[in-house]
Amino acid sequence: MNWDDLRIIAAVRDEGSYAGASARLRIDETTVGRRLSRIERALGLRLFEAADGARRPTRQCEAVLAHVEAMAAHAAEIGRLSESVEGPVGRLRIASTNTVAEEVLSPRASDFLRAHPGLTLQFLTASGNVRFSRWEADLAIRLRKPEKGDFAISRLGDIKLYYFEPVATQGEPMLCAYPDELGAIPEMQFLRTKTARARCVTDNVRVIRNLIRAHHAAGVLPEYVCADLLADRRLRATLLPKRRDAWLLVQNHLKRDAAARVTIDWVRACFQEMARA
């Protein structure tokens, strides 16, 4: 049973014949009869009776038609949704790390969504990358340049990195580092110049920030999570010479989609605003 079949029931009731329903729906008259027979077998009901040369709905058919008419009304309302909302309409899934979503995107999302009532954003946050090639996301923000694939890649900008260490501490501060699989990132390249061994290893920058905030640890953090640390006089901040690139991935079929375009522009504006700050 499907919506096309159910529409046939209403057409036969309104036109009074298979031929009339066939002309209205622009399908063969034999197809009308075959689909009605299929519905009757599925429901175990007789839908129409022949009377005075016309097809008359049975009592059971009238009950079915009440639901069909409700479904038709809902279908019409769905079709009018885009007319009732100004601007682009759509649902976009954005994949990023937790901290990018929390510190860069979400603080600016409220104004964006209020300005575009037809849009819905779904944030997919994780330390690992979603499988973008399998369409698990519509847009993705990566902090390492991805390999080429069947999607559009563009650079969002670069992110400043700071090395924090306590101004006064007894002995060497506890060094915080990232896992070995992130050895190619600028943060780890800098930390390898330090003689102290890492005492805390994590891919969660908030964990590192909390240790540094206690004034007994040292580590490297991206600019979007360390505004309060830069203002802390008990910490020494060193700007790293290398920066971290941010990249935007977009599914190819969305490059000309209105909802995707306005969302892409907003993501770019988020990173530009962060850089200006």
Side-chain angles (χ1 to χ4, degrees):
M1 190 183 303
N2 58 52
W3 174 234
D4 284 339
D5 287 350
L6 295 174
R7 290 172 59 238
I8 291 175
I9 301 175
V12 173
R13 187 273 310 274
D14 294 342
E15 301 297 332
S17 67
Y18 290 178
S22 169
R24 174 175 166 178
L25 300 176
R26 297 182 181 181
I27 58 177
D28 294 337
E29 184 175 347
T30 55
T31 301
V32 171
R34 184 176 67 254
R35 290 190 179 180
L36 279 178
S37 296
R38 183 169 64 194
I39 296 174
E40 287 179 332
R41 288 195 302 271
L43 296 177
L45 301 174
R46 184 173 179 79
L47 297 175
F48 291 96
E49 295 176 339
D52 301 326
R55 300 282 177 173
R56 305 295 182 191
T58 63
R59 181 173 56 85
Q60 294 92 339
C61 183
E62 292 289 1
V64 171
L65 282 165
H67 295 290
V68 172
E69 289 169 354
M71 293 170 66
H74 289 306
E77 289 297 323
I78 292 171
R80 287 192 290 268
L81 276 178
S82 61
E83 301 172 2
S84 63
V85 178
E86 295 183 3
V89 177
R91 182 188 188 96
L92 278 299
R93 300 165 299 164
I94 304 177
S96 73
T97 63
N98 290 305
T99 48
V100 166
E102 294 170 5
E103 305 292 341
V104 181
L105 300 181
S106 63
R108 301 165 175 87
S110 179
D111 290 342
F112 174 71
L113 291 172
R114 289 177 62 189
H116 301 282
L119 292 183
T120 298
L121 298 182
Q122 180 180 356
F123 292 100
L124 307 174
T125 58
S127 57
N129 292 329
V130 300
R131 289 175 292 185
F132 198 70
S133 60
R134 298 190 182 183
W135 290 24
E136 291 182 349
D138 302 305
L139 312 176
I141 298 169
R142 298 278 174 83
L143 300 182
R144 282 186 290 177
K145 187 175 183 180
E147 298 178 0
K148 293 182 179 180
D150 189 21
F151 41 78
I153 306 172
S154 59
R155 187 172 176 272
L156 287 171
D158 54 38
I159 299 167
K160 296 176 184 177
L161 301 170
Y162 290 91
Y163 174 69
F164 290 93
E165 57 186 333
V167 172
T169 185
Q170 294 181 350
E172 289 287 333
M174 291 181 293
L175 189 65
C176 300
Y178 296 92
D180 291 341
E181 56 266 26
L182 299 179
I185 64 176
E187 295 94 314
M188 286 296 289
Q189 292 176 9
F190 177 84
L191 290 173
R192 278 198 290 268
T193 65
K194 301 297 177 181
T195 57
R197 67 182 179 89
R199 299 286 306 285
C200 173
V201 177
T202 177
D203 63 355
N204 189 319
V205 298
R206 288 168 299 180
V207 171
I208 297 176
R209 181 179 62 183
N210 287 338
L211 268 72
I212 293 173
R213 188 181 286 158
H215 307 108
H216 295 293
V220 178
L221 292 173
E223 60 181 312
Y224 51 80
V225 296
C226 59
D228 60 329
L229 301 182
L230 290 169
D232 191 335
R233 294 187 178 182
R234 290 178 292 176
L235 294 171
R236 182 183 298 110
T238 302
L239 178 64
L240 269 61
K242 288 188 177 181
R243 300 187 179 190
R244 190 86 177 266
D245 288 335
W247 300 86
L248 178 64
L249 282 62
V250 181
Q251 297 287 3
N252 279 325
H253 70 284
L254 293 174
K255 288 189 292 186
R256 293 180 177 82
D257 178 81
R261 287 307 320 168
V262 72
T263 304
I264 291 168
D265 291 342
W266 170 71
V267 170
R268 292 190 176 282
C270 288
F271 277 83
Q272 291 168 2
E273 183 179 335
M274 178 193 67
R276 288 194 299 268

